[in-house]
């Protein structure tokens, strides 16, 4: 079985607790046809395992404080419910990956009683070691060979029982690299898997010998800084140059469960620039990550430790926006893994991020006005009349002429 699909996929993060009023796998499944129509290809489920009760935060606790690696959180339903969901998703053409929290567990994980030696100990208290100041989780000891075997066996459980297609590995760089190497070698004897690491390849390039794709945390933080502090666009262009030489597939995003809850929605962070940055995420080399509700669009921070459902409407305002982008990504040859990206020069480079994606005779041009002013521009070197089509609104455009972009506007152009 090939892993080529990974290079063309997109990833949609599902927060089961907040997705519906019921907060169950069965209720979420009703949204699959809508997501299929929108062009979603890979579903990433936040942790589906039960939550530790000792020291839990809020009334429901954090899904990242696991109490058993091979059981289902009863909030969401049963193991059979999840199996049925994965089966239905596969039948519709989705891939399914689950969040895997390997660095730590909650305080009353079954291993704390059955295998307390699996954990690091606090030298001062003699108790389990708290993980990096987050007092509802405790750290596992990866020098313990039996613990490593048990962790790999737990991951194997979900492949065997539910036929999942991979893992999104939480805080992957907190776990020593040689474990991931070992785990991948064992688990991929069953099937090729998608390994998405919560790490930045600019900071931990060595981990990309395991992970297919990694977060672009530097880009996400710096785009927020750029917007809030009105920095030069050249600041962002320099960061893109750094990512160009970093290993692995880059996963671009403007929101996720942590960002939404703790740092604000994409509209709090980027305001009117949010949609232009979404266009970038779907057209620059790499894969886009979309957090549930961005298609609404969602202007609400979702609570982390309490029930706080997404306020779905009958019609998602950005459904067609994402549908156009995601379907373009999956079908246009110039957005494939082997297509190159070239920076385009304009007479307004201080405000416009312009680039071409190209492979063989296929090409696509993206123009992003990353400024709060209306912008006029010409693409340098294009003097002969050439008609392109703006795929987002099916409009013919002659790129040899002066183009006018409204504040934070964008054009995605293919040859007519």
């Amino acid at each position: 079985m090939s892993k080529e699909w990974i290079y063309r996929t997109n990833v949609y993060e599902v927060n089961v607790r907040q997705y519906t009023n019921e907060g169950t796998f069965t209720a979420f499944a009703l949204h699959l046809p809508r997501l299929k129509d929108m062009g979603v290809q890979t579903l990433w489920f936040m942790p589906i395992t039960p939550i530790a009760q000792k020291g839990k935060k809020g009334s429901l606790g954090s899904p990242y404080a696991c109490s058993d690696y091979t059981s289902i959180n009863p909030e969401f339903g049963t193991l059979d419910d999840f199996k049925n969901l994965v089966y239905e998703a596969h039948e519709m053409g989705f891939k399914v990956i689950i969040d895997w929290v390997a660095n730590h567990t909650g305080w009353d994980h079954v291993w704390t009683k059955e295998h307390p030696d699996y954990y690091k100990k606090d030298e001062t208290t003699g108790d389990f070691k708290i993980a990096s100041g987050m007092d509802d989780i405790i750290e596992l000891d990866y020098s313990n060979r039996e613990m490593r075997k048990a962790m790999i066996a737990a991951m194997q459980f979900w492949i065997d029982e539910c036929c999942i297609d991979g893992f999104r590995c939480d805080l992957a760089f907190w776990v020593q690299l040689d474990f991931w190497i070992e785990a991948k070698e064992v688990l991929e004897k069953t099937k090729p898997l998608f390994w998405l690491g919560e790490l930045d390849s600019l900071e931990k390039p060595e981990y990309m010998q395991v992970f297919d794709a990694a977060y672009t945390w530097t880009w996400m933080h710096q785009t927020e800084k750029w917007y809030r502090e009105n920095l030069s666009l050249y600041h962002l262009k320099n960061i893109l140059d750094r990512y160009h030489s970093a290993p692995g597939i880059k996963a671009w995003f403007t929101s996720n469960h942590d960002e939404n809850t703790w740092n604000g929605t994409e509209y709090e962070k980027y305001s009117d620039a949010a949609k232009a940055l979404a266009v970038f995420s779907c057209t620059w080399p790499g894969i886009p990550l979309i957090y549930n509700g961005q298609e609404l669009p969602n202007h609400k921070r979702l609570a982390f430790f309490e029930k706080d459902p997404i306020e779905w409407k009958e019609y998602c305002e950005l459904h067609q926006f994402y549908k156009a982008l995601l379907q373009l990504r999956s079908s246009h040859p110039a957005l494939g893994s082997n297509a190159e990206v070239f920076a385009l020069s304009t007479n307004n480079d201080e405000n416009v991020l312009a680039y071409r994606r190209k492979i063989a005779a296929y090409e696509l041009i993206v123009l992003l006005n990353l400024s709060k002013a209306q912008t006029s521009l010409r693409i340098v070197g294009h003097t002969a009349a050439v008609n392109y089509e703006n795929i987002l609104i099916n409009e013919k455009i002659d790129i040899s002429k002066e183009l006018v972009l409204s504040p934070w506007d964008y054009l995605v152009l293919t040859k007519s």
Side-chain angles (χ1 to χ4, degrees), residues 6-45:
I6 294 170
Y7 297 92
R8 295 284 279 186
T9 199
N10 55 68
V11 179
Y12 182 92
E13 180 183 6
V14 180
N15 183 339
V16 179
R17 174 184 286 169
Q18 312 299 20
Y19 208 92
T20 62
N21 290 328
E22 299 87 347
T24 63
F25 297 130
T26 302
F28 168 75
L30 298 176
H31 288 256
L32 289 176
R34 175 180 63 81
L35 296 176
K36 180 68 175 177
D37 181 73
M38 195 171 86
V40 171
Q41 294 176 323
T42 296
L43 301 169
W44 150 30
F45 289 92

Side-chain angles (χ1 to χ4, degrees), residues 83-220:
K83 287 182 180 181
N84 291 337
L85 174 57
V86 175
Y87 177 81
E88 184 176 353
H90 281 163
E91 286 292 293
M92 296 178 67
F94 294 100
K95 301 290 186 180
V96 175
I97 64 175
I98 62 172
D99 221 319
W100 197 256
V101 189
N103 178 74
H104 51 263
T105 75
W107 279 89
D108 53 7
H109 189 281
V110 293
W111 286 353
T112 60
K113 302 174 181 64
E114 297 171 1
H115 303 284
D117 57 314
Y118 283 4
Y119 292 84
K120 292 181 179 179
K121 299 299 189 298
D122 187 309
E123 294 181 359
T124 302
T125 65
D127 206 343
F128 299 120
K129 183 179 179 181
I130 296 173
S132 191
M134 293 181 278
D135 56 12
D136 61 333
I137 52 177
I138 50 179
E139 288 196 0
L140 290 160
D141 181 4
Y142 275 85
S143 68
N144 187 311
R145 293 297 310 170
E146 292 306 311
M147 188 282 291
R148 292 164 71 118
K149 291 179 183 177
M151 181 67 72
I152 293 170
M155 298 173 80
Q156 185 75 56
F157 171 87
W158 296 101
I159 300 168
D160 293 343
E161 289 293 320
C162 301
C163 299
I164 62 164
D165 301 294
F167 298 94
R168 178 269 184 186
C169 298
D170 181 68
L171 293 169
F173 63 99
W174 281 15
V175 177
Q176 57 199 65
L177 176 58
D178 70 314
F179 167 75
W180 293 122
I181 293 173
E182 179 185 359
K184 185 174 184 177
E185 182 179 355
V186 172
L187 298 173
E188 291 209 334
K189 291 176 181 176
T190 303
K191 63 188 288 190
L193 299 168
F194 178 20
W195 296 82
L196 172 60
E198 190 193 11
L199 58 97
D200 193 318
S201 58
L202 284 182
E203 299 173 353
K204 299 290 181 181
E206 67 276 13
Y207 276 73
M208 301 314 294
Q209 61 189 287
V210 170
F211 292 97
D212 299 300
Y215 282 45
T216 48
W217 281 114
T218 301
W219 170 259
M220 192 280 300

Side-chain angles (χ1 to χ4, degrees), residues 40-61:
V40 171
Q41 294 176 323
T42 296
L43 301 169
W44 150 30
F45 289 92
M46 285 173 62
I48 58 175
T49 48
I51 295 170
Q53 296 302 296
K54 180 181 177 181
K56 73 178 180 182
K57 293 183 179 294
S59 64
L60 296 177

